[in-house]
Amino acid sequence: MKVSTQEKAPAFPFADGIFPAGCPSRIVLDHVTSKWGVLILVALSEGPQRWSELRRRAEGISEKMLAQTLKTLEADGFVRRDAQPIIPPRVDYSLTGSGQELAALLLPLVSWIAGHADSIVGRSGKAAGAGG
């Protein structure tokens, strides 16, 4: 009897590119999929916004986390910071082309989560209550 030792093709074609610890894609995944990163990208997908608008949209974000998240997403090339040389100063944030492309991919995920969150949280709440 002959046993096949044929390697199974990965279900995800880029699997070897995201799982190694030193892979740059893991850094980008961390930036993009952080709680605040996703919310800021989704908010900016609706168009340019000022700091105060973003702070109101992402309820619960501290000034420090908003500044850090915007700085990170700007450094990654997803967010554009446009400082107007006027008094009082005005800074608008918007998505770059890469940011728009990324947001278009995130929106279906966020929409799915929003549509299923109540039942998922309800289910996990029941499971936690049953065991404790």
Side-chain angles (χ1 to χ4, degrees):
M1 178 196 291
K2 189 174 182 179
V3 177
S4 174
T5 58
Q6 189 176 36
E7 287 189 33
K8 183 179 172 186
F12 183 64
F14 306 110
D16 292 340
I18 62 169
F19 291 112
C23 182
S25 61
R26 287 182 60 176
I27 295 169
V28 177
L29 276 169
D30 183 46
H31 295 171
V32 169
T33 61
S34 70
K35 172 170 63 172
W36 302 120
V38 169
L39 293 177
I40 296 304
L41 289 164
V42 169
L44 288 174
S45 73
E46 297 173 355
Q49 295 179 47
R50 296 177 74 180
W51 171 278
S52 57
E53 293 171 306
L54 289 170
R55 181 105 195 272
R56 276 193 298 276
R57 293 294 306 281
E59 287 185 20
I61 192 170
S62 68
E63 288 187 15
K64 178 182 176 182
M65 282 309 302
L66 179 55
Q68 183 178 328
T69 301
L70 285 167
K71 189 175 185 178
T72 298
L73 294 173
E74 183 182 6
D76 289 344
F78 299 126
V79 170
R80 178 181 305 108
R81 182 181 188 274
D82 183 27
Q84 308 283 330
I86 59 173
I87 298 192
R90 178 185 172 112
V91 178
D92 292 307
Y93 294 91
S94 61
L95 294 177
T96 63
S98 293
Q100 291 172 355
E101 187 177 345
L102 175 60
L105 295 168
L106 285 173
L107 287 170
L109 172 64
V110 171
S111 178
W112 186 92
I113 290 170
H116 294 82
D118 287 341
S119 65
I120 293 168
V121 170
R123 189 176 317 128
S124 64
K126 289 177 188 174

